[in-house]
PDB file of all heavy atoms in Angstrom:
ATOM      1  N   ASP R  82     -16.653  -7.739 -11.943  1.00 98.00           N
ATOM      2  CA  ASP R  82     -17.139  -7.310 -13.258  1.00 98.00           C
ATOM      3  C   ASP R  82     -16.357  -8.044 -14.342  1.00 98.00           C
ATOM      4  O   ASP R  82     -15.246  -8.529 -14.105  1.00 98.00           O
ATOM      5  CB  ASP R  82     -16.990  -5.797 -13.428  1.00 98.00           C
ATOM      6  CG  ASP R  82     -15.544  -5.339 -13.467  1.00 98.00           C
ATOM      7  OD1 ASP R  82     -14.868  -5.574 -14.493  1.00 98.00           O
ATOM      8  OD2 ASP R  82     -15.068  -4.747 -12.485  1.00 98.00           O
ATOM      9  N   GLY R  89     -22.117 -19.428 -18.693  1.00 98.00           N
ATOM     10  CA  GLY R  89     -22.010 -20.857 -18.454  1.00 98.00           C
ATOM     11  C   GLY R  89     -23.386 -21.432 -18.179  1.00 98.00           C
ATOM     12  O   GLY R  89     -24.292 -20.728 -17.714  1.00 98.00           O
ATOM     13  N   VAL R 112     -26.668 -18.449 -37.288  1.00 88.00           N
ATOM     14  CA  VAL R 112     -27.890 -18.339 -36.489  1.00 88.00           C
ATOM     15  C   VAL R 112     -28.660 -17.095 -36.912  1.00 88.00           C
ATOM     16  O   VAL R 112     -28.107 -15.998 -36.980  1.00 88.00           O
ATOM     17  CB  VAL R 112     -27.562 -18.267 -34.985  1.00 88.00           C
ATOM     18  CG1 VAL R 112     -28.824 -18.018 -34.168  1.00 88.00           C
ATOM     19  CG2 VAL R 112     -26.882 -19.553 -34.528  1.00 88.00           C
ATOM     20  N   ALA R 145     -31.494 -28.536 -22.646  1.00 95.00           N
ATOM     21  CA  ALA R 145     -32.467 -29.320 -21.886  1.00 95.00           C
ATOM     22  C   ALA R 145     -31.886 -29.765 -20.547  1.00 95.00           C
ATOM     23  O   ALA R 145     -32.605 -29.887 -19.551  1.00 95.00           O
ATOM     24  CB  ALA R 145     -32.904 -30.534 -22.706  1.00 95.00           C
ATOM     25  N   GLY R 158     -19.641 -15.722  -9.164  1.00 98.00           N
ATOM     26  CA  GLY R 158     -20.294 -15.433  -7.898  1.00 98.00           C
ATOM     27  C   GLY R 158     -21.010 -16.639  -7.325  1.00 98.00           C
ATOM     28  O   GLY R 158     -21.028 -16.854  -6.104  1.00 98.00           O
ATOM     29  N   GLY R 188     -41.834 -12.472 -23.312  1.00 95.00           N
ATOM     30  CA  GLY R 188     -42.496 -12.725 -24.594  1.00 95.00           C
ATOM     31  C   GLY R 188     -41.501 -13.114 -25.666  1.00 95.00           C
ATOM     32  O   GLY R 188     -41.744 -14.041 -26.466  1.00 95.00           O
ATOM     33  N   ARG R 204     -30.575  -8.906 -10.075  1.00 98.00           N
ATOM     34  CA  ARG R 204     -30.026  -8.164  -8.940  1.00 98.00           C
ATOM     35  C   ARG R 204     -29.661  -6.758  -9.390  1.00 98.00           C
ATOM     36  O   ARG R 204     -29.253  -6.546 -10.531  1.00 98.00           O
ATOM     37  CB  ARG R 204     -28.745  -8.817  -8.439  1.00 98.00           C
ATOM     38  CG  ARG R 204     -28.839 -10.254  -8.013  1.00 98.00           C
ATOM     39  CD  ARG R 204     -27.421 -10.786  -7.787  1.00 98.00           C
ATOM     40  NE  ARG R 204     -27.433 -12.123  -7.212  1.00 98.00           N
ATOM     41  CZ  ARG R 204     -26.594 -13.077  -7.562  1.00 98.00           C
ATOM     42  NH1 ARG R 204     -25.674 -12.861  -8.492  1.00 98.00           N
ATOM     43  NH2 ARG R 204     -26.650 -14.255  -6.977  1.00 98.00           N
ATOM     44  N   LEU R 213     -18.789 -15.293   1.042  1.00 98.00           N
ATOM     45  CA  LEU R 213     -17.979 -16.311   0.400  1.00 98.00           C
ATOM     46  C   LEU R 213     -17.998 -17.593   1.226  1.00 98.00           C
ATOM     47  O   LEU R 213     -17.897 -17.566   2.459  1.00 98.00           O
ATOM     48  CB  LEU R 213     -16.541 -15.818   0.222  1.00 98.00           C
ATOM     49  CG  LEU R 213     -16.244 -15.073  -1.090  1.00 98.00           C
ATOM     50  CD1 LEU R 213     -17.128 -13.858  -1.287  1.00 98.00           C
ATOM     51  CD2 LEU R 213     -14.779 -14.707  -1.203  1.00 98.00           C
ATOM     52  N   THR R 217     -13.547 -21.274   0.112  1.00 97.00           N
ATOM     53  CA  THR R 217     -12.689 -20.217  -0.418  1.00 97.00           C
ATOM     54  C   THR R 217     -11.596 -19.813   0.573  1.00 97.00           C
ATOM     55  O   THR R 217     -10.617 -19.166   0.184  1.00 97.00           O
ATOM     56  CB  THR R 217     -13.509 -18.964  -0.776  1.00 97.00           C
ATOM     57  OG1 THR R 217     -14.028 -18.358   0.425  1.00 97.00           O
ATOM     58  CG2 THR R 217     -14.650 -19.304  -1.715  1.00 97.00           C
ATOM     59  N   VAL R 235     -18.358   3.425 -16.639  1.00 98.00           N
ATOM     60  CA  VAL R 235     -19.096   4.680 -16.833  1.00 98.00           C
ATOM     61  C   VAL R 235     -19.410   5.335 -15.491  1.00 98.00           C
ATOM     62  O   VAL R 235     -19.519   6.560 -15.402  1.00 98.00           O
ATOM     63  CB  VAL R 235     -20.361   4.437 -17.683  1.00 98.00           C
ATOM     64  CG1 VAL R 235     -21.241   5.671 -17.758  1.00 98.00           C
ATOM     65  CG2 VAL R 235     -19.955   4.019 -19.094  1.00 98.00           C
ATOM     66  N   ASP R 244     -23.456  17.142 -20.365  1.00 94.00           N
ATOM     67  CA  ASP R 244     -23.233  17.286 -21.804  1.00 94.00           C
ATOM     68  C   ASP R 244     -21.945  16.588 -22.243  1.00 94.00           C
ATOM     69  O   ASP R 244     -21.116  17.158 -22.935  1.00 94.00           O
ATOM     70  CB  ASP R 244     -23.203  18.760 -22.196  1.00 94.00           C
ATOM     71  CG  ASP R 244     -22.163  19.566 -21.419  1.00 94.00           C
ATOM     72  OD1 ASP R 244     -21.604  19.033 -20.446  1.00 94.00           O
ATOM     73  OD2 ASP R 244     -21.929  20.733 -21.800  1.00 94.00           O
ATOM     74  N   GLU R 267     -36.774   3.147 -34.849  1.00 93.00           N
ATOM     75  CA  GLU R 267     -36.297   2.373 -35.986  1.00 93.00           C
ATOM     76  C   GLU R 267     -34.967   2.924 -36.495  1.00 93.00           C
ATOM     77  O   GLU R 267     -34.078   2.179 -36.903  1.00 93.00           O
ATOM     78  CB  GLU R 267     -37.342   2.384 -37.103  1.00 93.00           C
ATOM     79  CG  GLU R 267     -36.888   1.755 -38.410  1.00 93.00           C
ATOM     80  CD  GLU R 267     -36.455   0.287 -38.257  1.00 93.00           C
ATOM     81  OE1 GLU R 267     -36.875  -0.371 -37.290  1.00 93.00           O
ATOM     82  OE2 GLU R 267     -35.687  -0.184 -39.124  1.00 93.00           O
ATOM     83  N   PHE R 274     -27.323   1.071 -32.710  1.00 96.00           N
ATOM     84  CA  PHE R 274     -27.045   1.532 -31.351  1.00 96.00           C
ATOM     85  C   PHE R 274     -27.720   0.612 -30.358  1.00 96.00           C
ATOM     86  O   PHE R 274     -28.760   0.016 -30.633  1.00 96.00           O
ATOM     87  CB  PHE R 274     -27.529   2.974 -31.153  1.00 96.00           C
ATOM     88  CG  PHE R 274     -26.462   3.978 -31.443  1.00 96.00           C
ATOM     89  CD1 PHE R 274     -26.112   4.265 -32.751  1.00 96.00           C
ATOM     90  CD2 PHE R 274     -25.766   4.605 -30.418  1.00 96.00           C
ATOM     91  CE1 PHE R 274     -25.099   5.166 -33.043  1.00 96.00           C
ATOM     92  CE2 PHE R 274     -24.760   5.506 -30.688  1.00 96.00           C
ATOM     93  CZ  PHE R 274     -24.424   5.791 -32.004  1.00 96.00           C
ATOM     94  N   GLU R 305       5.419  -8.395 -31.238  1.00 92.00           N
ATOM     95  CA  GLU R 305       5.952  -7.084 -30.866  1.00 92.00           C
ATOM     96  C   GLU R 305       5.187  -6.538 -29.673  1.00 92.00           C
ATOM     97  O   GLU R 305       4.072  -6.029 -29.802  1.00 92.00           O
ATOM     98  CB  GLU R 305       5.848  -6.111 -32.043  1.00 92.00           C
ATOM     99  CG  GLU R 305       6.254  -4.664 -31.726  1.00 92.00           C
ATOM    100  CD  GLU R 305       7.623  -4.589 -31.074  1.00 92.00           C
ATOM    101  OE1 GLU R 305       8.611  -4.700 -31.807  1.00 92.00           O
ATOM    102  OE2 GLU R 305       7.684  -4.425 -29.838  1.00 92.00           O
ATOM    103  N   ALA R 313       4.792   5.675 -31.142  1.00 98.00           N
ATOM    104  CA  ALA R 313       5.684   6.803 -31.412  1.00 98.00           C
ATOM    105  C   ALA R 313       6.069   6.846 -32.885  1.00 98.00           C
ATOM    106  O   ALA R 313       6.106   7.923 -33.504  1.00 98.00           O
ATOM    107  CB  ALA R 313       6.928   6.696 -30.530  1.00 98.00           C
ATOM    108  N   ALA R 344      -5.721  -6.994 -47.461  1.00 98.00           N
ATOM    109  CA  ALA R 344      -6.822  -7.403 -48.351  1.00 98.00           C
ATOM    110  C   ALA R 344      -7.892  -6.323 -48.432  1.00 98.00           C
ATOM    111  O   ALA R 344      -8.434  -6.053 -49.516  1.00 98.00           O
ATOM    112  CB  ALA R 344      -7.416  -8.725 -47.853  1.00 98.00           C
ATOM    113  N   ALA R 375     -19.577   7.414 -34.470  1.00 97.00           N
ATOM    114  CA  ALA R 375     -20.449   6.985 -33.379  1.00 97.00           C
ATOM    115  C   ALA R 375     -20.865   8.159 -32.501  1.00 97.00           C
ATOM    116  O   ALA R 375     -22.015   8.244 -32.059  1.00 97.00           O
ATOM    117  CB  ALA R 375     -19.763   5.909 -32.546  1.00 97.00           C
ATOM    118  N   ARG R 377     -21.175  11.335 -33.386  1.00 98.00           N
ATOM    119  CA  ARG R 377     -22.150  12.164 -34.109  1.00 98.00           C
ATOM    120  C   ARG R 377     -23.509  11.481 -34.162  1.00 98.00           C
ATOM    121  O   ARG R 377     -24.551  12.126 -34.007  1.00 98.00           O
ATOM    122  CB  ARG R 377     -21.632  12.473 -35.507  1.00 98.00           C
ATOM    123  CG  ARG R 377     -20.440  13.409 -35.507  1.00 98.00           C
ATOM    124  CD  ARG R 377     -20.069  13.858 -36.905  1.00 98.00           C
ATOM    125  NE  ARG R 377     -19.020  14.881 -36.863  1.00 98.00           N
ATOM    126  CZ  ARG R 377     -18.611  15.553 -37.923  1.00 98.00           C
ATOM    127  NH1 ARG R 377     -19.151  15.314 -39.114  1.00 98.00           N
ATOM    128  NH2 ARG R 377     -17.655  16.455 -37.813  1.00 98.00           N
ATOM    129  N   GLY R 395      -8.007   1.482 -20.689  1.00 93.00           N
ATOM    130  CA  GLY R 395      -6.629   1.346 -21.122  1.00 93.00           C
ATOM    131  C   GLY R 395      -6.268   2.225 -22.294  1.00 93.00           C
ATOM    132  O   GLY R 395      -5.120   2.662 -22.427  1.00 93.00           O
ATOM    133  N   VAL R 415     -10.963  14.291 -22.856  1.00 98.00           N
ATOM    134  CA  VAL R 415     -10.371  14.183 -21.524  1.00 98.00           C
ATOM    135  C   VAL R 415     -10.039  12.708 -21.306  1.00 98.00           C
ATOM    136  O   VAL R 415     -10.938  11.863 -21.292  1.00 98.00           O
ATOM    137  CB  VAL R 415     -11.330  14.695 -20.435  1.00 98.00           C
ATOM    138  CG1 VAL R 415     -10.693  14.534 -19.056  1.00 98.00           C
ATOM    139  CG2 VAL R 415     -11.706  16.144 -20.703  1.00 98.00           C
ATOM    140  N   ASP R 492      -8.781  26.807 -35.017  1.00 29.00           N
ATOM    141  CA  ASP R 492      -7.561  27.562 -35.267  1.00 29.00           C
ATOM    142  C   ASP R 492      -6.300  26.712 -35.193  1.00 29.00           C
ATOM    143  O   ASP R 492      -5.192  27.229 -35.302  1.00 29.00           O
ATOM    144  CB  ASP R 492      -7.445  28.750 -34.289  1.00 29.00           C
ATOM    145  CG  ASP R 492      -7.314  28.313 -32.835  1.00 29.00           C
ATOM    146  OD1 ASP R 492      -7.015  27.139 -32.595  1.00 29.00           O
ATOM    147  OD2 ASP R 492      -7.491  29.175 -31.950  1.00 29.00           O
TER     148      ASP R 492
END
Side-chain angles (χ1 to χ4, degrees):
D82 66 73
V112 175
R204 302 170 173 141
L213 271 58
T217 68
V235 173
D244 56 350
E267 173 58 22
F274 268 76
E305 174 52 78
R377 291 188 173 188
V415 179
D492 64 16

